[in-house]
Amino acid sequence: MKDCIFCKIANNEIPCTKLYEDEKVIAFKDIHPAAPIHVLVIPKEHITSVNDINESNKLIISHIFITISKIAKDLNIDKEGFRVITNTGERGGQTVDHLHFHLLGGRNLGWPPG
Ligand code: AMP
Ligand code: ZN
């Protein structure tokens, strides 16, 4: 989608530190890490938020979670634990309107979040 920063990353129009890519998803380091490990996993297809997950695009969600599982193993945080977060909408703190999953790890993560 035009003017979407994550579509631009998916299309190699703006740079990122890429950890994984295939035909459907891309994973890259968050530019403002909130933890020692902070990776964003996104569908290449523009989906605005969780509100837009539906029957026609549901398979990408399982693919994203399989990707997250692989990355957590690659980064060796699978055993110690990590967190996956998707902020949604204004009250959820979503600042980029292209569906993304934060993979956070490498430190103890407090609960509940702010
Ligand atoms: P959210 O606030 O949940 O929508 O998450 C958006 C995330 O995208 C934030 O953690 C930002 O630091 C991150 N972000 C924004 N622009 C970029 C970029 N160009 N490269 C990597 N991460 C980015
Ligand atoms: Zn987009």
Side-chain angles (χ1 to χ4, degrees), residues 1-8 10 42-48 96-99:
M1 183 178 271
K2 197 175 167 289
D3 296 334
C4 170
I5 190 167
F6 285 179
C7 281
K8 286 182 179 168
I42 70 168
K44 286 189 170 176
E45 169 194 4
H46 183 90
I47 299 170
T48 302
V96 176
D97 289 336
H98 178 128
L99 182 66

Side-chain angles (χ1 to χ4, degrees), residues 54-67:
N54 55 45
E55 283 297 320
S56 72
N57 60 26
K58 65 182 182 183
L59 292 179
I60 195 71
I61 306 304
S62 51
H63 186 61
I64 284 171
F65 271 83
I66 291 167
T67 302

Side-chain angles (χ1 to χ4, degrees), residues 38-105:
H38 189 169
V39 179
L40 299 173
V41 186
I42 70 168
K44 286 189 170 176
E45 169 194 4
H46 183 90
I47 299 170
T48 302
S49 80
V50 169
N51 289 327
D52 302 286
I53 297 171
N54 55 45
E55 283 297 320
S56 72
N57 60 26
K58 65 182 182 183
L59 292 179
I60 195 71
I61 306 304
S62 51
H63 186 61
I64 284 171
F65 271 83
I66 291 167
T67 302
I68 289 170
S69 173
K70 281 182 187 154
I71 293 170
K73 287 185 181 72
D74 286 349
L75 298 178
N76 209 26
I77 55 169
D78 56 320
K79 298 284 191 313
E80 67 187 39
F82 56 89
R83 187 171 292 163
V84 180
I85 296 174
T86 301
N87 298 320
T88 304
E90 197 177 334
R91 280 200 138 176
Q94 183 175 7
T95 60
V96 176
D97 289 336
H98 178 128
L99 182 66
H100 53 281
F101 294 78
H102 298 257
L103 166 58
L104 292 160

